[in-house]
């Protein structure tokens, strides 16, 4: 019997760009196809997607993509995937609608091979039988995916919590998880994001109580910021708005699009006379309105961030506004978020980031929920994913404390080949090719490491362009070299000193050397870099321009 | 009688670069002279210091600087201050030693006018009487400063907590605070950093118990990272190391310098046979050593960060190492810290960032401690500083809840002139000039907003240099324009398209236009920018080079 392999191309050892291969014989499927967000050293990069080289090398075996849910870290790389691969992409109706909207926006592609799957209904892809199982999370129709194979069941939890009072009244399918556990699960690839939080997380529906308290305290306008995919939380804003007699407007294009779509498809149930078009905001008194706004992560171009800088033409912060942050910072965004908060406060708003009754809860299960998943599904092997290395290690510690034998657990990295034959499981010595592709969304072009290195150097100390006219045939220079600077902060005389030194050096060159453009360019870069570094310890990029006359 | 004015030039509405003017008649003093750290949009900036224009304009009245304690956000701008102003700088012996070490490193200035003050001893500066009062904090010899004036006492708390078991057995001088309260304090400028934490913070000495637990669990080497000024915490590492039979080495130049200096001056009491020179580390077994390392904030050049990238030649991470983070992330540093932590884990280390028994406590008092300061000193006016606007607002709410009348509290911004006559206090309509000066430590040069904007553009989309040879006298071009790129990621054909468009445009120019270098440069920038933006929505910096032949 062929080997069964599970290979994360993203999402193992990180929170982001989830994308895992399951393959056996001639069949290869991909679970999720997500993006991650750049960090502060990723200059000019908008999103990060997995390197698909392994899929390129195995294009003939690639049968399908199966999506667990519509969060960007699970679907955000599809726009790159579909421009290159044409296999079907299976998702639930809600996920399909969200993905379609994004694909239309990003690749203007109307003919994407999206295929509908139904939660609870198994279907075949080659030798695999795929079973989507409902779990609760912070977005509708989140599915665990059980991949039934001749070696056993490979179970992807996706992102989950055990929420017993979900806003959409669609609880996790605990019965089916139990049955799978009874029948036998070969390996569980579990969410491990919140393994460092002991106990059990609060239900999403707890947020309504937080809203009730904060909405009733506010005297002026209320703005609520959250992720634009958090439909259940929006539902609670609309519901509590109705209770307290306010109307809800939406600011921010993506959030507005999502609200409209979800209402149309029945995922959002807006009570009558609660929705308020943004342009009618000024017809209402301050105490009659709530505004949903984008920008919970301090994203510079989001509505709330623009308002904080007085750059959002459709809506201005006024004294007495109350702004509720109904989202947790993604680590690394704290600086941007607090700078936005402080600007909002300076404009006279009161800002609530942390309320005594929570206005944010996590979509990921805490440690006891992760334990419950293990106890229900009783996997033979365990491999935590959807976590940084520190989360994966804590998860394995947790599993040990539950008595799970150490030789039946794996710490996966991206590229790890987790292999199964009919006897055992192991990680192959050699990882497959994996990596991160940095995307500049303007033009959808990848940013190479070389370009990133150049941007880092430019950002640090700027650029000096040194031009020189030379008669390359005769081996003679024409005039003195000139310099232009951008982003360089060294003392003014540095450049003059560098040009003087360059002139001295050029004067020493032999005619043969003066005939070589490459040689001249090399001299310019060497001398200017050396003088600048000696004078002011800076390392600007030096670009030589030798113009042949 | 002259007006008394209190004017923060830094530190009001921010956590960082504390620097406040107190002036009356011909006398002007400055309390603290600190720096702050750059955020991710401050490309190539190492530190941020206050704009001293107000001091320049009032140089003749400037009598002295008085320093509360030796943290960088209170003393880090002194190296810039002393190169321009020559008034005395008063500090306690410990602060003097720390400041002197930094000044020698930064400005190679041995003759700095540092003057010794003694805690508890009043001294005169012009019309002011200065009284340093001992408070507890995370560094030795932290002083509140009471400035006695003919209008009353202006009380700066500095950074404080009420620690009843301080590591150096030097508690806060509560008796003197009480007396001041009885005699009458005009205005209290209080630390407000931890006003959002209810209750009372743990003592610094609680960390020893955390160390005991973590040190006894670790089987291999232990590394402890913390701020290099945290002498009390280092003391506890040395003490607990002695208890558990380990020796302590120090990695990281600044930390090593500080340890030696503090031991020499008696601020650090290293038990016999506990200090281990770093070069002798390999003579000891793993379970016999502890290493103090710099890098708790993920600073790229610190020892721990270099180790995580395998770039630190003196020490390599090995399987079984335990690394304790004995410091809290400064907001904004989380991304860098977690990336370092994950790299350390991948190298086989176990990393403890959060222990059940704390290995870090804050140096700033929690809400009840802030309340106690108000109750002891009974100030007539209140003005929270050392906090972002959100902290200042929470502090004012707290004061209201204590019954402090609202018209006797002030929300200060940098530049605010808080004025007192013998009747009342008010904030002047017109703030004084203030600002942040961004410093590139290489060459100690300020980075202007213009340079920063250029760096941001370069970092985002790179640079295109377009060169053109022209006979400006004849008004004729020589050959085709050429382009070089750095950090530009647009599709390859973009540049060719831009040059084609540029050639077309140049062909249309009149001879008079071809004689103007400025005009030609303008055409190059316009056309190249326009084509690039149309083709790939990017906005690189375009540098035109017109070489006259």
């Amino acid at each position: 019997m062929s080997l069964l392999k599970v290979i994360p191309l993203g999402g193992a050892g990180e929170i982001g760009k989830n994308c895992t291969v399951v393959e056996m014989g001639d069949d290869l499927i991909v679970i999720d196809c997500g993006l991650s967000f750049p960090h502060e050293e990723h200059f000019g990069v908008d999103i990060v997607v997995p390197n698909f080289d392994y899929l390129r090398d195995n294009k003939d075996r690639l049968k399908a993509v199966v999506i667990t849910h519509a969060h960007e870290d699970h679907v955000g790389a599809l726009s790159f995937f579909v421009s290159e691969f044409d296999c079907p992409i299976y998702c639930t109706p809600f996920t399909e609608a969200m993905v379609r909207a994004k694909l239309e926006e990003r690749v203007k592609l109307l003919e994407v091979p999206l295929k509908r799957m139904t939660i609870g209904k198994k279907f075949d892809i080659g030798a695999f039988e795929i079973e989507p199982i409902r779990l609760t999370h912070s977005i509708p129709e989140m599915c665990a995916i059980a991949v039934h194979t001749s070696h056993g069941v490979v179970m992807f939890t996706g992102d989950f919590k055990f929420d017993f009072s979900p806003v959409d009244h669609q609880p996790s399918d605990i019965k089916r998880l139990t049955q799978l556990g009874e029948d036998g699960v070969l390996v569980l690839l579990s969410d491990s994001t919140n393994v460092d939080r002991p106990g059990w997380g609060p239900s999403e529906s707890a947020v309504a109580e937080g809203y009730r308290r904060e909405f009733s305290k506010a005297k002026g306008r209320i703005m609520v910021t959250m992720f634009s995919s958090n439909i259940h939380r929006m539902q609670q804003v609309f519901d509590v708005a109705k209770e307290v007699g306010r109307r809800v407007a939406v600011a921010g294009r993506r959030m507005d699009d999502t609200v409209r779509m979800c209402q149309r498809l029945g995922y959002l149930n807006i009570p009558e006379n609660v929705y308020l078009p943004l342009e009618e905001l000024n017809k209402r008194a301050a105490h009659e309105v709530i505004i949903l706004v984008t920008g919970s992560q301090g994203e510079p171009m989001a509505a709330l961030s623009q308002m904080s800088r007085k750059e959002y033409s459709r809506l201005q912060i006024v004294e007495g506004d109350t702004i509720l942050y109904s989202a947790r910072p993604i680590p690394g965004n704290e600086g941007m978020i607090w700078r936005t908060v402080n600007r909002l406060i300076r404009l006279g708003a009161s800002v609530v980031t942390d309320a005594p009754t929570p206005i944010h809860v996590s979509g990921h299960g805490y440690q006891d929920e992760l334990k419950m998943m293990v106890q229900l599904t009783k996997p033979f092997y365990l491999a935590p994913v959807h976590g940084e290395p520190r989360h994966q290690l804590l998860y394995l510690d947790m599993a040990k404390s539950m008595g799970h034998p150490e030789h039946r657990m794996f710490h996966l990295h991206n590229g790890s080949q987790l292999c199964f034959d009919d006897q055992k499981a192991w990680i192959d010595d050699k990882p497959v090719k994996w990596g991160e592709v940095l995307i500049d969304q303007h033009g959808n072009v990848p940013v190479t490491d070389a370009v990133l290195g150049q941007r880092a150097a430019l950002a640090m100390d700027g650029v000096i362009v040194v031009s020189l006219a030379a008669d390359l045939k005769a081996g003679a220079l024409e005039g003195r070299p000139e310099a232009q600077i951008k982003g360089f902060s060294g003392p003014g005389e540095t450049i003059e000193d560098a040009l003087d030194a360059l002139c001295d050096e050029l004067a020493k060159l032999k005619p043969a050397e003066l005939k070589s453009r490459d040689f001249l360019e090399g001299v310019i870069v060497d001398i200017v870099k050396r003088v600048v570094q000696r004078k002011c310890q800076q390392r600007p990029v030096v670009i030589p321009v030798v113009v042949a006359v």
Side-chain angles (χ1 to χ4, degrees), chain A:
Chain A
M1 205 155 45
S2 317
L3 291 186
L4 168 67
K5 289 188 183 181
V6 176
I7 309 171
L9 299 180
E14 63 178 332
I15 297 178
K17 62 176 166 67
N18 297 282
C19 184
T20 304
V21 164
V22 182
E23 62 173 55
M24 196 175 165
D26 289 336
D27 296 308
L28 184 158
I29 60 171
V30 175
I31 310 293
D32 286 334
C33 189
L35 60 72
S36 65
F37 292 100
H39 60 67
E40 64 271 24
E41 288 157 25
H42 285 147
F43 297 110
V45 173
D46 298 297
I47 61 172
V48 180
V49 300
N51 179 318
F52 291 140
D53 279 353
Y54 186 74
L55 301 181
R56 284 181 194 108
D57 294 343
N58 292 278
K59 215 166 180 169
D60 52 324
R61 297 197 294 149
L62 175 61
K63 295 291 186 300
V65 178
V66 181
I67 301 293
T68 60
H69 65 293
H71 277 148
E72 287 285 19
D73 58 334
H74 295 258
V75 300
L78 280 174
S79 54
F80 298 89
F81 182 89
V82 297
S83 63
E84 194 173 347
F85 304 97
D86 54 7
C87 67
I89 297 162
Y90 289 90
C91 37
T92 66
F94 173 78
T95 303
E96 186 188 330
M98 294 288 277
V99 168
R100 198 175 288 280
K102 280 169 199 163
L103 288 181
E104 285 171 7
E105 173 188 327
R106 289 194 190 147
V107 288
K108 321 282 179 219
L109 193 67
L110 297 171
E111 289 296 319
V112 277
L114 294 177
K115 288 218 176 183
R116 189 70 66 89
M117 68 184 186
T118 306
I119 298 181
K121 285 245 168 78
K122 297 183 196 168
F123 60 99
D124 291 332
I125 304 175
F128 301 125
E129 191 181 35
I130 308 297
E131 181 180 4
I133 301 164
R134 185 185 297 278
L135 293 182
T136 45
H137 185 45
S138 48
I139 195 167
E141 296 182 359
M142 152 61 214
C143 310
I145 302 293
V147 182
H148 298 262
T149 78
S150 51
H151 282 296
V153 173
V154 179
M155 176 81 178
F156 292 85
T157 67
D159 299 5
F160 77 97
K161 64 197 284 188
F162 284 112
D163 187 339
F164 294 113
S165 44
V167 174
D168 61 2
H169 306 303
Q170 304 263 25
S172 299
D173 190 349
I174 292 177
K175 180 176 155 198
R176 185 57 193 143
L177 296 176
T178 312
Q179 285 167 346
L180 281 169
E182 293 303 311
D183 297 343
V185 165
L186 177 64
V187 59
L188 180 72
L189 287 102
S190 176
D191 182 354
S192 64
T193 299
N194 273 343
V195 66
D196 54 352
R197 301 196 188 183
W200 201 281
S203 165
E204 173 64 31
S205 59
V207 170
E209 193 51 36
Y211 287 157
R212 262 177 218 119
R213 287 183 64 133
E214 299 302 323
F215 288 4
S216 59
K217 272 199 285 185
K219 298 203 171 55
R221 298 189 303 185
I222 297 169
M223 299 190 195
V224 186
T225 184
M226 62 176 68
F227 287 102
S228 61
S229 62
N230 206 330
I231 317 303
H232 297 324
R233 201 158 293 172
M234 289 180 197
Q235 181 68 57
Q236 297 184 86
V237 169
F238 284 109
D239 291 345
V240 181
K242 172 84 179 175
E243 286 177 31
V244 300
R246 288 185 184 241
R247 292 182 181 237
V248 181
V250 182
R253 193 186 46 77
R254 168 163 292 181
M255 195 174 260
D256 201 34
D257 291 349
T258 306
V259 167
R260 285 163 197 270
M261 187 189 78
C262 288
Q263 190 181 20
R264 199 174 65 239
L265 299 178
Y267 291 98
L268 197 56
N269 181 11
I270 303 182
E272 222 172 322
N273 292 327
V274 168
Y275 183 82
L276 179 70
L278 191 61
E279 45 290 4
E280 293 179 25
L281 198 60
N282 292 331
K283 296 185 190 162
R284 301 274 165 181
H287 69 272
E288 292 176 335
V289 299
I290 294 170
I291 308 142
L292 284 172
V293 296
T294 53
S296 68
Q297 298 301 308
E299 311 90 315
M301 296 312 294
L304 190 59
S305 311
Q306 292 197 41
M307 285 181 225
S308 79
R309 298 188 306 265
K310 297 188 179 182
E311 291 170 3
Y312 194 71
S313 58
R314 306 183 67 190
L315 191 54
Q316 285 79 38
I317 302 291
V318 296
E319 191 102 17
D321 284 346
T322 298
I323 299 165
L324 307 181
Y325 273 73
S326 196
R328 198 165 73 119
I330 293 176
N333 290 350
E334 290 85 350
M336 286 197 301
I337 295 170
W338 288 123
R339 285 199 297 281
T340 307
V341 167
N342 284 324
R343 282 195 300 262
L344 293 167
I345 288 176
R346 282 194 204 102
L347 294 174
S350 50
V351 180
V352 181
T353 55
D354 205 7
T357 308
I359 54 172
H360 167 75
V361 299
S362 176
H364 296 267
Y366 288 16
Q367 198 176 102
D368 282 347
E369 295 167 80
L370 301 178
K371 284 181 178 170
M372 171 154 153
M373 178 60 81
V374 175
Q375 294 207 343
L376 293 177
T377 57
K378 298 180 185 167
F380 194 76
Y381 296 109
L382 260 180
V385 291
H386 208 290
E388 298 179 2
R390 61 196 170 103
H391 301 111
Q392 293 174 293
L393 282 187
L394 285 173
Y395 188 100
L396 296 178
D397 284 345
M398 174 193 86
K400 272 180 239 168
S401 79
M402 296 172 73
H404 195 93
E406 225 169 312
H407 66 277
R408 289 203 267 121
M409 43 179 89
F410 295 99
H411 185 170
L412 298 182
H413 302 276
N414 290 333
S416 294
Q417 301 193 61
L418 177 57
C419 305
F420 304 86
D421 63 15
D422 48 9
Q423 302 281 329
K424 59 189 186 306
W426 68 97
I427 293 181
D428 193 278
D429 290 341
K430 204 166 166 290
V432 308
K433 176 119 183 247
W434 69 278
E436 39 188 30
V437 179
L438 310 177
I439 303 289
D440 188 329
Q441 277 187 325
H442 296 130
N444 267 351
V445 280
V447 177
T448 61
D449 283 351
V451 165
L452 200 65
Q454 292 164 2
R455 288 183 182 173
L458 291 166
M460 190 57 70
D461 287 328
V463 62
I464 303 178
V465 176
V466 178
S467 57
L468 183 64
D471 181 341
L472 295 174
K473 279 187 197 127
L477 302 178
E478 307 261 329
R480 187 182 152 87
E482 293 183 11
Q484 291 185 64
I485 58 172
K486 290 279 177 191
F488 176 68
S489 66
E493 68 274 16
T494 311
I495 301 295
E496 278 314 305
D497 290 347
L499 291 180
D500 286 347
L502 180 59
C503 287
D504 292 349
E505 185 70 20
L506 291 171
K508 292 184 213 156
L509 298 186
K510 298 176 192 118
E513 290 167 339
L514 289 169
K515 288 180 184 175
S516 162
R517 187 170 180 160
D518 284 354
F519 190 87
L520 287 171
E521 289 178 351
V523 170
I524 292 173
V525 172
D526 281 355
I527 301 291
V528 174
K529 283 205 162 185
R530 197 188 310 156
V531 173
V532 169
Q533 208 187 328
R534 201 181 58 226
K535 288 273 168 189
C536 63
Q537 292 83 50
Q538 299 201 15
R539 299 165 182 269
V541 172
V542 175
I543 301 180
V545 178
V546 175
V547 177
V549 297

